[in-house]
Amino acid sequence: AICKNIKYHKIYLRLYQNMAALFRPKEATYTCHEKIVVDTTDNEDHTFCGIMFPIEAASILPVDRLVIESVSVRGELGDLTVWFTKEPLVDGILSACPTKWIKAYENRHDPSWQAFQKLNLTEKLTIKQGEVYGIYVHSKLHGDEAIVYDNQSSEYTHRDNFVTIHSGIAHI
């Protein structure tokens, strides 16, 4: 009789554990605040008035979303704006339609050729797992020395377990 009770007890526990898994939340009920800084190469290849690039939240880890709070740039700078779009890429190209972009930052900056200037976004960019957004940094400065950027030497500017920054395009 004692052996039968032990067997029954083991079956009961196994069944209970399986049932608990059915009621487990699909998302965390808490927020993990981990700040990461994505440091891209800086070869000082060129300068232009604008740079536009896609950014993707990776789906490797169980991370619900990334929140982009700032971007940093250097160069002659001037009157800077930062924009983002939720529009999907079409053949790897971001939308050029101005109504599809949301302004997330606007401010005047003095020239800063050596030190990066942090642009704290007034409208945070939240990217859910697997989504791709476009970011566009633009200066109203005349000429083509406003924002320093690098020539693209690989498929991605940056890629890790959290985020992929795809190659971008620059314009005057």
Side-chain angles (χ1 to χ4, degrees), residues 10-74:
K10 286 182 180 179
I11 292 170
Y12 174 75
L13 286 176
R14 191 169 291 132
L15 177 62
Y16 178 75
Q17 289 170 345
N18 287 340
M19 293 300 287
L22 296 175
F23 298 106
R24 188 176 305 150
K26 302 290 185 237
E27 295 178 358
T29 56
Y30 57 89
T31 302
C32 178
H33 295 282
E34 182 178 332
K35 259 193 172 162
I36 60 169
V37 175
V38 175
D39 190 12
T40 58
T41 58
D42 186 14
N43 298 316
E44 304 179 33
D45 290 335
H46 294 285
T47 55
F48 266 65
C49 286
I51 183 77
M52 181 185 303
F53 56 91
I55 185 167
E56 178 179 1
S59 55
I60 297 169
L61 298 175
V63 174
D64 181 55
R65 64 187 171 273
L66 298 176
V67 179
I68 310 294
E69 297 179 344
S70 65
V71 295
S72 297
V73 293
R74 64 187 189 84

Side-chain angles (χ1 to χ4, degrees), residues 71-82 105-113 115-121 137-141 146-147:
V71 295
S72 297
V73 293
R74 64 187 189 84
E76 193 66 26
L77 304 180
D79 293 320
L80 295 177
T81 55
V82 178
Y105 179 86
E106 183 171 22
N107 208 346
R108 172 137 184 76
H109 290 268
D110 292 330
S112 181
W113 287 98
F116 281 93
Q117 298 300 302
K118 188 175 182 180
L119 314 180
N120 291 312
L121 305 180
V137 183
H138 182 261
S139 173
K140 294 179 184 176
L141 196 66
I147 300 169

